[in-house]
Amino acid sequence: MIKIVPQPKVIRFSGKWVEFDGFKNFPEFLANEFSIPKGSWQLEIIQKDGTGVEVKNKKVKIWGNLNIAYATVIQLLLQQKGLMPEIYVEEEFKFKFRGYHLDIARGGVPKVETFKNILKWLFILKYTHFAIYFEDLFPWEKHPKIGATRGRLTKEELKEVVEYGSKLGIEVFPSLELTGHMEHILSIPEYSQYSEWYLPREGCLNISDEKARNFAYELLEEVLEFFPSKFVHIGGDETWALGRGKSLEKNWMFEGPKLYEQHHKKLIEIVEEYGKTPLLWGDMLTGAFLNQNERNVWSKLLESDIWSRVVIANWDYAAQPKEYFIKRIENFGERYKENQIVCPGFSNWHKFYPDFESSTENIKNFINAAADKKLNGFLVTAWGDDGEECLFSFLNPLLVVTIEYAEGNGNWEESWILLSGENEKLLNVRKVFGNSIVTNNLKKLLYGAYNYQQMSDEEKEKVKNALKKALETSEGVNLPEDLALAKQIINVCLKRLGGNLRISDLLEVANIYARLWLSERKKEGLELIVSRLWASAGRLDLGF
């Protein structure tokens, strides 16, 4: 059987396998990155409608979108070592925009090699876009104190990542916050004056203040000058404090939506001046996560025509049925159907391991709803709230999940086995570790947090059974280092529930975790996780 990811429009396999010794003329960059040898086979680019690949008589013909065709050729070489199938493939995609959005601001900043590994996965899976969520971690030269102690990327590092993506045909673009989620910037003393609230860590910019607005515009312009991308994400989500602090004190009238529209109109104009297209999180335009009274106030924003000039990023991470997401899409009205993309999530935040159950349900139903409504694309998200404990390496299977539900037949398990080289037993371990009951309890059990102490005996027994099942599934399976860590964390959690946890168990996890963190990320941010583990050990020593 031949497996191509995602499932193509047409695939005809002759049943014949031919010995493959390498290409005479495969693109040098791709050959180096994917270890494709030099040999006697010929690659020919032909003119033909659509996108596809034909393998016949030791010659490979490709046409259309060459990056997609190259990715398919590389996948064909993974099927059987040293052999190439005689095959005809035509590919067609429902979604023009196929993107991945990675938060680097709430935990560890990926090393350049980690970024490159992610981009290689995106290439082989035929994604088109990669968004880096910065908050304070873009290297602003005009404001060098921003992100200086948090491992921000240098411009040289960022340029290398952007250029690497470009060579793979993937547009790397910035995702910023210029209204809310600015707490890391506003907590710096010289910028706290721009905070909407007197407590800067709330994170909302006081956009009733001209100096604060100009500060945001200056941040945006430096990013626009650096990035060659067509797209730039200007944020705009969860600005619930807007209009409730210093701006309210000016005339004691709540003007949150008015301020929001005026500010974002200017941000949109600045982006357009640079010949680029802005993305905007869509939640505030419909008041999506507010109570009904507040929703009625904020949803009036949709009456403005300025949102037709952005790509609306409609996010929702709930494990809900497709009908729920169809309604979420329809909430923006027909007017904003053409410029809307959906943004499901990996459920990796607040966790040491992603919730495969919830995320798979969310991704499948939100993307299927987008297909039914004929939207232009998706931007699947991975967030790092509260420390980003979840290693980036754990997220790769969910990239496969997303593309198979978006463009294939949903059979992501076979695709993962092909592309990763792992076997079915190992895949089952990944899935059972991502059981909702398992992954949603690891953090509080590992840290011995207050919410663990409040668990009932019935809840503890339910969790214990799920953890035991996860360990049983992993018995006798040769695990890579990251999954071996996850297994060890599960074992430690079981020990806590059994009352036989030792201080050394927690310190050993801390040491292994630190090593794996440093293998994929800069050191900044690690101190938060290690200090929590050591604090857990300290509480255990004190008898808590």
Side-chain angles (χ1 to χ4, degrees):
M1 185 186 75
I2 303 294
K3 177 69 177 176
I4 295 174
V5 186
Q7 182 70 25
K9 176 185 175 183
V10 175
I11 179 168
R12 293 196 295 268
F13 175 40
S14 70
K16 183 179 179 182
W17 293 87
V18 183
E19 185 177 345
F20 176 81
D21 63 353
F23 280 109
K24 292 179 181 177
N25 60 335
F26 205 76
E28 184 177 358
F29 173 76
L30 293 178
N32 289 336
E33 293 303 306
F34 292 94
S35 302
I36 297 171
K38 283 279 188 182
S40 60
W41 281 61
Q42 182 74 27
L43 184 75
E44 180 182 356
I45 300 170
I46 65 172
Q47 297 301 312
K48 191 173 178 178
D49 291 341
T51 293
V53 174
E54 184 177 22
V55 181
K56 195 172 184 180
N57 298 327
K58 297 189 74 172
K59 180 180 285 188
V60 177
K61 295 180 180 179
I62 62 174
W63 61 93
N65 185 314
L66 297 185
N67 288 312
I68 290 172
Y70 288 137
T72 296
V73 172
I74 294 169
Q75 288 186 26
L76 291 174
L77 292 172
L78 295 174
Q79 313 281 330
Q80 290 196 36
K81 188 175 181 180
L83 297 174
M84 177 77 87
E86 283 201 348
I87 198 167
Y88 177 88
V89 178
E90 289 182 9
E91 304 198 60
E92 188 174 83
F93 293 82
K94 295 191 288 285
F95 296 112
K96 183 178 179 181
F97 189 108
R98 304 182 295 279
Y100 177 38
H101 181 282
L102 180 66
D103 175 5
I104 69 166
R106 261 81 75 85
V109 176
K111 293 181 176 180
V112 169
E113 287 307 310
T114 304
F115 276 119
K116 288 181 177 180
N117 184 57
I118 292 168
L119 286 164
K120 284 173 72 173
W121 270 104
L122 296 180
F123 169 80
I124 207 72
L125 292 170
K126 302 162 188 175
Y127 283 72
T128 57
H129 293 83
F130 177 49
I132 302 174
Y133 178 79
F134 286 105
E135 287 194 5
D136 62 323
L137 296 179
F138 178 84
W140 282 284
E141 291 179 351
K142 293 179 181 177
H143 300 276
K145 286 189 177 181
I146 294 177
T149 62
R150 296 208 326 117
R152 70 180 176 208
L153 292 164
T154 66
K155 285 198 170 177
E156 291 73 24
E157 289 171 331
L158 197 49
K159 183 180 180 183
E160 187 174 350
V161 171
V162 171
E163 289 179 349
Y164 188 85
S166 179
K167 290 177 181 177
L168 293 172
I170 296 165
E171 179 179 306
V172 179
F173 69 92
S175 179
L176 306 174
E177 292 287 5
L178 299 165
T179 311
H181 289 295
M182 295 184 68
E183 57 271 18
H184 288 299
I185 295 176
L186 298 177
S187 294
I188 299 171
E190 47 262 72
Y191 303 120
S192 62
Q193 61 182 305
Y194 302 139
S195 174
E196 170 71 280
W197 281 16
Y198 291 97
L199 192 65
R201 69 170 179 263
E202 194 287 326
C204 192
L205 194 69
N206 175 18
I207 56 178
S208 70
D209 177 65
E210 184 179 4
K211 288 183 179 179
R213 293 196 304 272
N214 288 336
F215 172 62
Y217 305 152
E218 189 171 81
L219 294 179
L220 174 60
E221 286 178 343
E222 189 169 342
V223 174
L224 290 169
E225 287 166 4
F226 176 85
F227 267 90
S229 59
K230 172 186 175 183
F231 292 103
V232 58
H233 203 313
I234 58 175
D237 60 314
E238 299 181 331
T239 60
W240 301 316
L242 183 59
R244 302 179 189 277
K246 295 175 187 175
S247 59
L248 180 64
E249 294 172 359
K250 291 191 172 182
N251 56 16
W252 295 106
M253 291 178 61
F254 175 68
E255 296 183 320
K258 177 183 175 183
L259 291 168
Y260 187 97
E261 180 181 355
Q262 291 174 345
H263 179 55
H264 285 87
K265 184 173 185 290
K266 180 62 176 177
L267 293 174
I268 292 166
E269 289 172 351
I270 293 171
V271 173
E272 290 175 336
E273 286 171 6
Y274 282 80
K276 300 179 186 294
T277 301
L279 280 79
L280 177 82
W281 298 118
D283 55 300
M284 297 309 296
L285 305 187
T286 60
F289 302 106
L290 300 171
N291 65 45
Q292 188 59 54
N293 289 336
E294 290 181 313
R295 194 177 304 145
N296 292 338
V297 173
W298 280 93
S299 62
K300 291 178 182 177
L301 281 171
L302 281 176
E303 297 171 7
S304 173
D305 62 356
I306 66 169
W307 316 119
S308 61
R309 294 154 60 186
V310 306
V311 175
I312 296 173
N314 182 0
W315 64 273
D316 194 312
Y317 312 132
Q320 294 287 348
K322 184 171 74 171
E323 292 71 25
Y324 166 89
F325 292 111
I326 286 176
K327 186 175 180 181
R328 292 278 298 163
I329 293 168
E330 291 176 343
N331 284 343
F332 289 90
E334 284 295 314
R335 182 181 189 182
Y336 296 118
K337 178 181 171 183
E338 294 298 318
N339 63 320
Q340 184 184 159
I341 60 175
V342 298
C343 304
F346 283 170
S347 280
N348 62 304
W349 46 94
H350 295 288
K351 298 177 181 72
F352 275 89
Y353 194 87
D355 184 338
F356 270 60
E357 282 189 320
S358 292
S359 59
T360 299
E361 190 74 4
N362 169 253
I363 291 164
K364 175 181 70 175
N365 291 332
F366 206 176
I367 285 183
N368 284 344
D372 284 0
K373 300 301 291 185
K374 296 185 174 10
L375 299 191
N376 288 324
F378 64 86
L379 181 66
V380 69
T381 61
W383 296 102
D385 304 48
D386 195 38
E388 202 155 25
E389 291 101 336
C390 184
L391 297 173
F392 298 129
S393 60
F394 289 144
L395 304 179
N396 293 334
L398 293 170
L399 290 172
V400 181
V401 169
T402 303
I403 200 68
E404 275 294 4
Y405 279 120
E407 300 291 354
N409 57 13
N411 187 0
W412 69 271
E413 291 91 344
E414 286 184 3
S415 300
W416 172 256
I417 288 170
L418 167 68
L419 297 176
S420 68
E422 295 181 354
N423 58 38
E424 190 172 352
K425 285 185 177 180
L426 189 48
L427 172 59
N428 287 336
V429 173
R430 290 190 181 277
K431 290 169 69 175
V432 77
F433 282 8
N435 171 279
S436 295
I437 296 174
V438 173
T439 188
N440 288 316
N441 285 283
L442 294 182
K443 186 169 179 172
K444 62 185 176 186
L445 288 170
L446 194 59
Y447 292 155
Y450 175 78
N451 51 359
Y452 153 68
Q453 297 169 18
Q454 301 304 305
M455 289 173 69
S456 67
D457 290 341
E458 184 180 352
E459 288 175 306
K460 289 179 180 178
E461 191 62 29
K462 184 178 180 181
V463 172
K464 186 186 295 186
N465 290 334
L467 295 177
K468 284 181 177 178
K469 181 181 177 182
L471 284 185
E472 289 168 3
T473 304
S474 67
E475 284 305 314
V477 181
N478 187 22
L479 302 179
E481 278 190 307
D482 56 353
L483 278 184
L485 169 66
K487 179 178 180 178
Q488 189 162 354
I489 289 172
I490 291 170
N491 197 34
V492 167
C493 292
L494 268 174
K495 285 185 176 183
R496 188 182 291 280
L497 288 170
N500 59 339
L501 181 62
R502 298 173 302 176
I503 293 170
S504 59
D505 294 325
L506 292 165
L507 300 186
E508 186 178 4
V509 166
N511 288 335
I512 297 171
Y513 182 85
R515 180 167 52 80
L516 290 178
W517 171 295
L518 292 172
S519 72
E520 65 173 26
R521 313 179 189 192
K522 297 186 178 187
K523 67 177 190 254
E524 288 83 1
L526 176 58
E527 72 281 359
L528 173 65
I529 315 305
V530 171
S531 65
R532 287 172 173 175
L533 288 166
W534 277 74
S536 179
R539 287 193 296 273
L540 185 65
D541 188 37
L542 292 170
F544 290 102

